[in-house]
Amino acid sequence: MMAPLVAGMVWYFLYNGTFGWYHWLLQSLGILGPKSILASADTAMIGLVLVDVWQWTPLITLITLAGLKRVPQDQLEANMVDGASPLRNFFSVTLPNLYPVLLIAIMLRFMDNFRFIDSILVLTGGGPGNATKILPVYLFEVSFKFFKLGRGAAIALILLIVTIILGKLLVRVFDRQQPSKRRKSRRPQDSPCAAPNRFVIVAAAARDRRAPQPRTEPAAKFGTHARAAPCKRPATAMPPRRREKTA
C-alpha cells in the first residue's frame, strides 16, 4: 500500500504537461490538447478520480477475493447439478454470500472519500479555480488557512453527522438485499404435546354449534370436532423397587 501523499506525487509527474508519460499518451491519442489534464477545469476532477481508483482498487480486490473464498462450494455444485448456468449461480449463490464483504468494502471507500484531501492538495490544491475544491479541502482552508476554527469545527461536525446517516442508510439497503436466514420459531401450539389454547377450543365449539348438523348422525349433536391423537411420550425404564426385609 502507498500513502496518498506519495501517490499524489507520482501522478503529479505522470500528469506533467512537459515530461509526463500519461500526458504524452493522451495527447498522442488526440484526447488532450497542449494543456495538462490537471490544468483544465473540465478534466481535473477526472484526473483525481483516476488517482483514487488506482490507489484503492487493490484493497477492494483483496477484500472481494477473501469473500469469494467463503462461498460454499456445495451450494454451487448443487445448483450446477440442477442445471443452473454460471450467471445464475453467481446471482443466486455467490452474490448473496458476498453481501457482508461488499458492505465492508463500500463502507471503507465511502468513509475514505469524505476525507479525500491528500492527493488533491498535492495535485491541484483545489484548482483550477474551484473545480476540485470539495468539502474536505474547504474545511482545511477554513480551519488552517484562514484560522476560523469555530466555523471549521461546525463543518467537521456536520460532515460527521452526514457520514453516519448515509452509512446507516447504506447498511439498511444491504440488509434488505441480503436474503434473510432467520427461521420461524415453532410456536408451542404447533407441538402435539403442548397444552391447547382455551380461546381456540371455545372458538371451535362455537363454530360447531353454528354449523348445520345432519339428523342422520346422532353423534353430530355433540360436535364433529375430531379428537386429537394422544401424545406419546417415550417410556422410561423405572428402577426396580427395593424389597424391605422383614424381621
Side-chain angles (χ1 to χ4, degrees), residues 22-46:
Y22 281 180
H23 175 77
W24 170 81
L25 179 63
L26 295 175
Q27 192 174 11
S28 301
L29 295 175
I31 299 175
L32 285 180
K35 288 185 178 180
S36 172
I37 189 173
L38 300 176
S40 175
D42 299 329
T43 58
M45 185 59 72
I46 299 175

Side-chain angles (χ1 to χ4, degrees), residues 114-115 135-136 139 153-164:
F114 271 93
R115 54 186 183 86
L135 190 58
L139 172 61
I155 295 173
L157 181 60
I158 294 173
L159 186 62
L160 175 63
I161 294 173
V162 171
T163 305
I164 293 173

Side-chain angles (χ1 to χ4, degrees), residues 23-212:
H23 175 77
W24 170 81
L25 179 63
L26 295 175
Q27 192 174 11
S28 301
L29 295 175
I31 299 175
L32 285 180
K35 288 185 178 180
S36 172
I37 189 173
L38 300 176
S40 175
D42 299 329
T43 58
M45 185 59 72
I46 299 175
L48 294 177
V49 171
L50 290 176
V51 173
D52 186 67
V53 170
W54 173 84
Q55 183 181 1
W56 294 108
T57 297
L59 176 63
I60 304 303
T61 304
L62 290 176
I63 293 175
T64 308
L65 183 61
L68 288 173
K69 294 294 184 181
R70 62 182 293 271
V71 176
Q73 297 296 322
D74 52 349
Q75 296 182 12
L76 294 173
E77 293 174 359
N79 272 12
M80 292 176 64
V81 170
D82 292 339
S85 61
L87 187 62
R88 182 65 180 175
N89 243 352
F90 174 77
F91 283 105
S92 59
V93 179
T94 306
L95 191 59
N97 285 280
L98 283 179
Y99 276 140
V101 179
L102 292 178
L103 176 62
I104 294 173
I106 293 176
M107 284 293 294
L108 287 175
R109 294 301 302 124
F110 178 77
M111 292 185 294
D112 282 340
N113 285 330
F114 271 93
R115 54 186 183 86
F116 179 60
I117 189 175
D118 309 70
S119 301
I120 297 178
L121 293 180
V122 172
L123 293 172
T124 61
N130 293 327
T132 59
K133 185 179 288 186
I134 59 177
L135 190 58
V137 178
Y138 178 71
L139 172 61
F140 175 80
E141 289 184 354
V142 168
S143 301
F144 302 105
K145 190 174 182 179
F146 304 110
F147 290 102
K148 296 180 180 180
L149 300 181
R151 177 180 289 184
I155 295 173
L157 181 60
I158 294 173
L159 186 62
L160 175 63
I161 294 173
V162 171
T163 305
I164 293 173
I165 293 174
L166 293 179
K168 295 290 286 185
L169 291 176
L170 186 62
V171 171
R172 184 171 299 180
V173 169
F174 268 83
D175 285 342
R176 289 181 180 179
Q177 295 292 332
Q178 187 175 6
S180 178
K181 297 182 180 179
R182 300 176 182 175
R183 296 180 178 177
K184 295 182 179 179
S185 58
R186 189 177 184 182
R187 296 179 299 177
Q189 291 84 356
D190 299 337
S191 177
C193 300
N197 195 344
R198 294 181 180 179
F199 178 78
V200 175
I201 295 175
V202 173
R207 184 178 65 250
D208 292 340
R209 292 194 196 99
R210 291 194 301 267

